[in-house]
Amino acid sequence: MTYRVNINGEVRELDVPEDMPLLWALRNELGMVGTKFGCGKALCGACTVHVDGVAQRSCSLPVGSIGADSKVTTIEALEKTEIGRALQQAWLEEDVMQCGYCQAGQLMNASALLARNPKPSASQIDSAMAGNICRCACYTRIRDAIAVVAEKGTANV
Amino acid sequence: MSEQATLSRRTLLKASALAGGGLVLTASIPMVARAATAAAGGPAEATLNAFVSIAPDNTITIVGKNPEIGQGIKTMLPMLIADELDADWNQVRVTQAESDAARFGPQLAGGSFATPMNWMPMRQVGAATRQMMLAAAAQRWGVDAKGLKTELGKVIEVSSGRSATYGELASDAAKLSPPDPATVTLKDPKAFHIIGRAIGGVDSPRVVKGEPIFGVDTQLPGMVYAAFERSHVFGAKLKSANLDAVKAEPGVIDAFVIEGNGNAEQLVDGVAILSNNWWLANKAREKLTIEWDNGPWGDHSSQRYDETARAAMASGKPQEPIVSHGDVDAAFASAAKVLDQEYFYPFLAHVPMEPQNCTALMHDDGAIEFWAPTQNPQAGQGSVAQMLGITPDKVRLHITRMGGGFGRRLTNDFMHQAAAIAQKVPGTPVQLIWSREDDVRSDFYRPAGWHRLRAAIDADGKLTGFDDHFVTFSLPGAGAYNPAAMAPDIFPAKYVPNLRYAQTQMETRVPMGALRAPSSNALAYVMQSFLDEVAVETGKDLPTLLLEMIDGREKEPDERGFMGVSPGFNPDRMRGVITKAMAMANWGKPVADGHALGFGFYFSHMGYFAEVVEASLSDRKQVQVHNVWAAGDVGSHIINPFGALNQVEGSIIDGIGQAMGLAVQIENGGAKQSNFHDYQLPRMPITPKIHTEFVITDNAPTGMGEPALPPVIPALTNALFKLTGKRVRSLPIDTKLFA
C-alpha cells in the first residue's frame, strides 16, 4: 500500500508494508541514510527522528502508524532550525564525537530536548539523553555541548 | 591456528618488522612523483606522492592511510604530514586511502599501533614534500634553496621577501625526483604548529549533517540487501533449509544456502536472503526452518566452563608453565601469611554501534570490489582472495569510516560472507547487514578467564612469593589462542623474587578475539586487585606497594617487545604516572562521607596509566562513580589533544561499563545475550567527571586507543573494597555483595 509521509517538509510516497519501520523506509526506500540503524528494538536511540517535534525511535515506528498530517524531521534537516545549527556548531567546537555513528540520534534527541526545555539542568540533560547509547562513550562531551547551547542560546547561529 | 589468524598475524608481524625503525618503514612508502592530474570538476591537481596532492588554489589534499574507527586517525596522521610540510591546516583536505599495501604501507586500526608506527614516517613524508616545494621555488627563481624558508603553505625568499604558494609551485615540484624521505631534515619539535594543537575530526562536519559516510551508508546503483541466518550454536553445520518458503515472502528476491569453509573467522554455514529492502530480507528469516548439526558443541555452557575451571584451580595442578623464577614453593613454605583467592572475568562482546556490514560487487571478470568497514583491510583482501581462489590484486577494497571497532572488525568474517553472497549474483552489488542480535551472538568475544592467585608474605610484610594458576581456552587444533593468553612478563612478573605463572586450557568453540586492550583489559583487574589485597594485608596502600616494588629498578631490556615496536618497560615512567595520579586525586587525604578512592596502574600498548576512582554506593546499593583522575605517559607529544582526551574519557567509561554490568554467557553452545536490553552498555547518567593529565617524557609518542582502559577497572573495585570491605573477585560487579 502507498503511504504519504511528510519528511523534512516534503511529502514522500512510500509503497511499503504498513509495518515497515520508518527507519528502513528512510534508508532503503528513500536513500536517506543519515538516520542510523543500531539495535532495531528502540534500545539505543541511534535512529532517533522527530515526529511533530517529538523524538521517536524510527526503528520501531511503523510507516503505517504515521499520520498523514504528521511531520517527520530527520538529521538531514537538523540544520534548518536554530537549535539544530547551534547544536551542530557546539558538537564541532567541543569535538564531541569519536566514531560518530550514534551522533545523528544524539543530536536529534538533544534538539527535541532543547526545543521543549531550553535551559535543562545537568540532571535533566542526563535523564533526557539516557536513552541514547554512545559506544565510544563521548558522554562527557555530549553533556557539555548541550550545556553550552543551553547556556549561550541560539542567537549566534 | 586458523588461516585468517595466520594471515592477520603475518600482516602485523610484517608491519612491525618494518616499524622496528621508522626509517625502514619510510623506505617502503612510495614517493613517486606523478604528472599533474586533473581532479574531477576541478583545476589540475599536482600529485606529489602517494599522500600529498596540491591544487593551484593551494588546497592541499592529504591521504589518511589508516582505517578510521573513531580513534581519530584520519585527522591525526595527516596532521603529522601537514606540520612537517609547513601547511596551514585550514588549507588541508583529507581523503581516505583505499587498501593498498604497495602505496601506503601497513594499514591497520589495532593495537594502538598507528602512532608509534607512523610518527616518523608521516613526518618524513611531509618534510620530503616540503623539500620539493623549496627545490621547485629555487629552480623557478634561479636561487639557492638555502636562502628560502616555508611558512603556512608558502615558500618565501628570506632576503627579498618574495613568495610563492605551494599551489603555484606544485606542478613544477611534481616533475622533480622526490628525495629519500629517510634523508630529509625534520623540524625541531619546538617549531611544531599543528602537532599538539586540539584539532576537530576531519569528518565531523559531515557526520553532524547526517551525510553518508559509514560503511552501511554505501549506496550503489542496482544494489540489493542481504540478511544472513546462521546457527547460534558455534560450530554447527547446516543440514537443510526450507528455501522455497522464504522465497515466497514479500520482497524476497532470492534465498540460498551459503556453505561455510570450516573457519569461523571466514565463513560459517548459513542462509542468505536478498531483497531491495534489508528489513524485508531480515523479516523473511522468521519463516526459515533450518536443520542444524550441532556436533559436540551444542551443550557447551558458561556454567560448565566455570565448574571445569574451578576444579582445575582446586587441583593445584596447572597443565603447563608460563614463566617461573626463584623458589616459589620455598617462599610459600616459609611465609608468615599466605593469600589464596580465585578471580573471574566473563566473555565480553564488542558491539560497535554500527552493526557489522559489508558491501561487495563481484565483477564479470572475477575481480571483486568491497566497501568494507574493516579495521584490518589488507588481511581481508588476502584471505578473501584465497577463499575465492583469485589473486589479491583482484580484490579492491574501499575503506569506509566505521561506527566503532574495538577490535571486532579486525576479524573479517563479514567480508567473506559478503563475498560468498556476491559471488552468487555477479554484477549486482550486495550490502550484507547484520542485525544487532546477529552482532551480539556472532562475535569474537573477549575470552573469559579464571585465576587462582596466591601471595606469600614474610614476617617483615614483604611480598616474597606470587603464584597464578590461570585457566583459559584453546580452540580445537589451534592451541593457545593469543587474545586468551597471558604473556610471561605481565606485571608483577619481574618484581617479585619468587614467582610462577602457569595455565590450564579448556577446549571451546566459542569464537574469541581481541577486545580493546586485549589481555590487559582482564589482567589489569586481576593483578591490580590482588596486589591491593596484598597491600591491605601488609598495612599499606596499593600505590605505595607498587612504588616499593619498583624501587631502584632500571629500565628493562626490550626482550619481548610489543609487536616489535616496544621500547621496553620503564619503571621510571610507571613511577611518574603513579605519583602524578596520587597528586591529582589528593590521594591519602579525606574524601566526602560515604565515598572512597581506589587505585589502579597498568602498562599496556606502550602506554603507562595510573587512575584513581572515587566511588560510593547509593541507598539501593548501586555503584556510583563520581570522579576519575587519570595520569598517562604516552611519550613526548600529545599529537592531537582533542583525540587523546576523547580516547582517555571513552576508555574510562568503557572500563567502568564493563565492570558494572557486562557479560556474555554461553548457554546451549551459543551466546545467551542478544541486544542492548541484556547487554547493557553504560549510559550518560553513570558518567563520572574525568580529569586527565599527561606526563610528558622524552620518548617517542605512542597510541591512545587502549592503554587508559585497563587500570580503571581495578581502581573501581579497589575503591569498593575501601568503601565496603568487600572484595570484588568476579566481574561484572554483583551488587548483592554489598547488601
Side-chain angles (χ1 to χ4, degrees):
Chain A
M1 137 151 219
T2 302
Y3 296 90
R4 293 167 64 80
V5 183
N6 184 322
I7 300 170
N8 298 336
E10 194 181 334
V11 176
R12 307 295 298 262
E13 288 196 353
L14 291 167
D15 184 15
V16 298
E18 67 171 343
D19 57 345
M20 179 179 286
L22 175 63
L23 172 66
W24 294 104
L26 290 170
R27 291 188 62 85
N28 290 178
E29 303 295 321
L30 301 176
M32 297 172 68
V33 294
T35 305
K36 292 294 187 274
F37 170 48
C39 70
K41 297 273 171 64
L43 297 164
C44 77
C47 65
T48 303
V49 299
H50 297 172
V51 180
D52 298 326
V54 178
Q56 300 256 348
R57 308 302 190 220
S58 66
C59 75
S60 301
L61 183 69
V63 167
S65 74
I66 302 168
D69 300 331
S70 287
K71 291 186 168 60
V72 173
T73 308
T74 70
I75 183 70
E76 285 90 350
L78 181 67
E79 66 189 6
K80 289 184 185 171
T81 66
E82 281 188 357
I83 290 172
R85 288 193 297 277
L87 284 168
Q88 286 171 326
Q89 190 179 316
W91 245 242
L92 298 178
E93 284 172 3
E94 298 286 319
D95 193 45
V96 164
M97 76 189 66
Q98 290 180 44
C99 85
Y101 190 79
C102 72
Q103 299 298 345
Q106 304 278 0
L107 283 159
M108 294 307 286
N109 210 48
S111 60
L113 165 67
L114 293 181
R116 69 171 188 270
N117 179 3
K119 300 276 176 196
S121 66
S123 67
Q124 284 172 330
I125 292 174
D126 273 17
S127 60
M129 299 303 292
N132 287 68
I133 293 174
C134 175
R135 173 66 180 91
C136 303
C138 307
Y139 295 122
T140 51
R141 287 145 186 264
I142 296 170
R143 191 189 256 166
D144 290 349
I146 295 171
V148 163
V149 176
E151 192 180 318
K152 282 194 196 164
T154 57
N156 297 323
V157 295
Chain B
M1 197 193 301
S2 69
E3 189 58 35
Q4 168 75 33
T6 313
L7 276 169
S8 51
R9 207 147 304 157
R10 197 179 299 141
T11 305
L12 291 174
L13 288 173
K14 186 178 156 215
S16 61
L18 289 168
L23 301 183
V24 183
L25 177 62
T26 303
S28 76
I29 290 181
M31 288 290 294
V32 180
R34 291 200 235 142
T37 50
E45 199 175 50
T47 301
L48 296 154
N49 53 61
F51 293 90
V52 184
S53 310
I54 303 179
D57 70 356
N58 217 14
T59 300
I60 301 179
T61 301
I62 299 181
V63 176
K65 70 194 256 295
N66 278 17
E68 174 65 62
I69 57 175
Q71 82 281 44
I73 211 66
K74 190 176 171 186
T75 306
M76 190 274 259
L77 294 182
M79 284 171 66
L80 300 177
I81 295 175
D83 201 321
E84 290 285 353
L85 175 57
D86 248 347
D88 181 346
W89 185 252
N90 292 325
Q91 74 190 109
V92 171
R93 195 174 72 91
V94 177
T95 58
Q96 174 67 53
E98 274 187 39
S99 180
D100 190 338
R103 282 168 70 197
F104 303 112
Q107 296 168 286
L108 173 82
S112 296
F113 283 135
T115 302
M117 283 176 57
N118 292 293
W119 166 248
M120 290 299 281
M122 290 295 103
R123 289 175 60 201
Q124 287 163 341
V125 165
T129 312
R130 174 179 168 273
Q131 198 167 309
M132 292 167 79
M133 291 299 146
L134 287 168
Q139 198 177 55
R140 179 176 297 184
W141 294 331
V143 299
D144 190 326
K146 285 199 181 80
L148 307 178
K149 64 173 185 175
T150 56
E151 199 176 282
L152 297 179
K154 275 187 285 207
V155 179
I156 300 164
E157 188 178 34
V158 177
S159 58
S160 68
R162 68 175 158 172
S163 69
T165 68
Y166 288 176
E168 289 160 357
L169 296 165
S171 58
D172 286 351
K175 293 172 196 142
L176 302 171
S177 308
D180 178 354
T183 66
V184 297
T185 308
L186 295 173
K187 267 187 181 175
D188 179 343
K190 289 194 199 78
F192 286 152
H193 67 296
I194 294 173
I195 293 169
R197 241 169 79 193
I199 289 180
V202 292
D203 285 338
S204 300
R206 297 188 61 198
V207 172
V208 298
K209 292 179 180 176
E211 291 184 19
I213 190 169
F214 297 96
V216 76
D217 298 342
T218 304
Q219 297 181 82
L220 300 168
M223 187 174 83
V224 299
Y225 297 91
F228 187 75
E229 173 83 10
R230 57 176 283 179
S231 174
H232 294 317
V233 175
F234 301 115
K237 295 207 155 299
L238 186 144
K239 290 167 74 177
S240 66
N242 62 335
L243 296 179
D244 288 341
V246 174
K247 286 179 190 170
E249 284 298 289
V252 171
I253 297 171
D254 202 358
F256 37 78
V257 167
I258 297 290
E259 194 181 334
N261 66 358
N263 181 351
E265 295 187 3
Q266 294 185 0
L267 192 61
V268 295
D269 287 358
V271 170
I273 305 173
L274 304 185
S275 171
N276 286 319
N277 187 301
W278 181 79
W279 183 78
L280 291 171
N282 195 55
K283 191 172 159 60
R285 292 168 69 181
E286 293 167 10
K287 293 290 192 283
L288 258 181
T289 305
I290 300 178
E291 194 182 349
W292 297 102
D293 173 5
N294 291 338
W297 309 106
D299 60 352
H300 273 232
S301 68
S302 287
Q303 189 185 340
R304 185 210 279 188
Y305 294 143
D306 192 65
E307 287 164 7
T308 307
R310 303 276 175 194
M313 291 189 290
S315 77
K317 293 192 179 70
Q319 284 169 346
E320 55 186 339
I322 297 172
V323 67
S324 176
H325 60 249
D327 190 335
V328 177
D329 294 333
F332 278 91
S334 63
K337 174 85 189 172
V338 171
L339 301 183
D340 186 348
Q341 299 292 352
E342 291 178 4
Y343 277 77
F344 166 75
Y345 44 84
F347 288 107
L348 292 177
H350 299 78
V351 290
M353 282 311 290
E354 180 187 10
Q356 309 315 320
N357 67 90
C358 184
T359 306
L361 169 59
M362 180 67 75
H363 292 287
D364 296 338
D365 63 355
I368 190 163
E369 189 167 2
F370 287 101
W371 292 259
T374 169
Q375 294 178 243
N376 201 2
Q378 292 171 3
Q381 278 178 301
S383 59
V384 165
Q386 191 185 46
M387 183 182 81
L388 297 179
I390 57 179
T391 51
D393 62 302
K394 296 283 185 195
V395 181
R396 185 171 182 197
L397 197 163
H398 307 272
I399 302 171
T400 67
R401 185 181 179 89
M402 275 162 268
F406 310 102
R408 175 59 182 84
R409 298 187 223 267
L410 289 169
T411 308
N412 289 309
D413 53 336
F414 45 85
M415 273 184 71
H416 294 79
Q417 279 178 17
I421 297 167
Q423 205 175 17
K424 302 259 190 186
V425 286
T428 300
V430 177
Q431 183 169 100
L432 167 73
I433 306 176
W434 289 13
S435 68
R436 178 58 64 192
E437 288 78 5
D438 295 333
D439 175 56
V440 174
R441 306 189 76 175
S442 311
D443 201 352
F444 294 84
Y445 304 93
R446 189 284 296 273
W450 295 257
H451 295 255
R452 179 178 174 186
L453 289 157
R454 296 192 307 137
I457 298 165
D458 71 10
D460 298 330
K462 288 274 181 218
L463 174 61
T464 54
F466 196 97
D467 184 20
D468 183 2
H469 180 179
F470 172 41
V471 182
T472 183
F473 293 102
S474 61
L475 292 169
Y481 185 69
N482 193 39
M486 182 168 159
D489 59 355
I490 292 297
F491 192 88
K494 295 179 180 171
Y495 297 86
V496 182
N498 307 291
L499 178 136
R500 174 169 59 214
Y501 295 164
Q503 68 181 3
T504 298
Q505 295 185 11
M506 299 183 282
E507 197 167 76
T508 187
R509 201 60 191 256
V510 176
M512 295 176 288
L515 171 71
R516 190 184 210 173
S519 298
S520 306
N521 56 33
L523 295 174
Y525 157 65
V526 169
M527 294 301 184
Q528 295 284 302
S529 297
F530 191 60
L531 287 172
D532 194 60
E533 297 202 49
V534 172
V536 169
E537 193 60 43
T538 55
K540 52 187 81 138
D541 60 25
L542 179 59
T544 305
L545 173 68
L546 294 173
L547 291 173
E548 282 178 13
M549 289 172 82
I550 60 171
D551 189 37
R553 295 292 288 267
E554 301 281 317
K555 183 178 169 183
E556 288 173 16
D558 193 2
E559 48 192 64
R560 173 165 67 108
F562 186 77
M563 304 306 287
V565 289
S566 170
F569 179 70
N570 187 341
D572 281 339
R573 301 179 73 180
M574 173 173 172
R575 199 174 289 115
V577 296
I578 287 177
T579 51
K580 181 74 174 178
M582 291 171 78
M584 287 167 68
N586 282 317
W587 182 261
K589 303 274 165 48
V591 293
D593 277 354
H595 291 210
L597 302 184
F599 198 90
F601 161 80
Y602 216 67
F603 167 67
S604 78
H605 296 79
M606 305 170 70
Y608 300 73
F609 272 82
E611 293 169 11
V612 176
V613 162
E614 179 186 355
S616 70
L617 291 178
S618 71
D619 296 342
R620 292 168 54 233
K621 304 292 179 194
Q622 297 301 302
V623 175
Q624 296 176 312
V625 180
H626 303 274
N627 285 285
V628 179
W629 294 271
D633 176 357
V634 289
S636 59
H637 290 85
I638 303 302
I639 299 165
N640 184 355
F642 261 166
L645 289 170
N646 225 332
Q647 287 305 309
V648 174
E649 292 166 15
S651 295
I652 284 172
I653 299 167
D654 196 352
I656 291 171
Q658 288 174 16
M660 282 175 61
L662 293 180
V664 168
Q665 292 152 312
I666 305 302
E667 273 186 8
N668 301 319
K672 182 184 172 190
Q673 282 67 26
S674 63
N675 205 323
F676 296 129
H677 65 289
D678 55 9
Y679 197 75
Q680 298 200 24
L681 293 171
R683 292 170 185 266
M684 189 181 285
I686 71 118
T687 301
K689 289 198 181 71
I690 299 171
H691 318 269
T692 306
E693 289 189 39
F694 293 102
V695 178
I696 300 301
T697 57
D698 189 20
N699 295 283
T702 54
M704 289 296 311
E706 292 164 289
L709 188 152
V712 77
I713 299 174
L716 173 57
T717 56
N718 292 341
L720 293 172
F721 175 81
K722 182 99 183 203
L723 195 62
T724 65
K726 306 284 186 188
R727 184 63 65 178
V728 176
R729 297 196 186 91
S730 180
L731 291 180
I733 297 163
D734 181 353
T735 54
K736 288 201 286 291
L737 192 64
F738 313 122

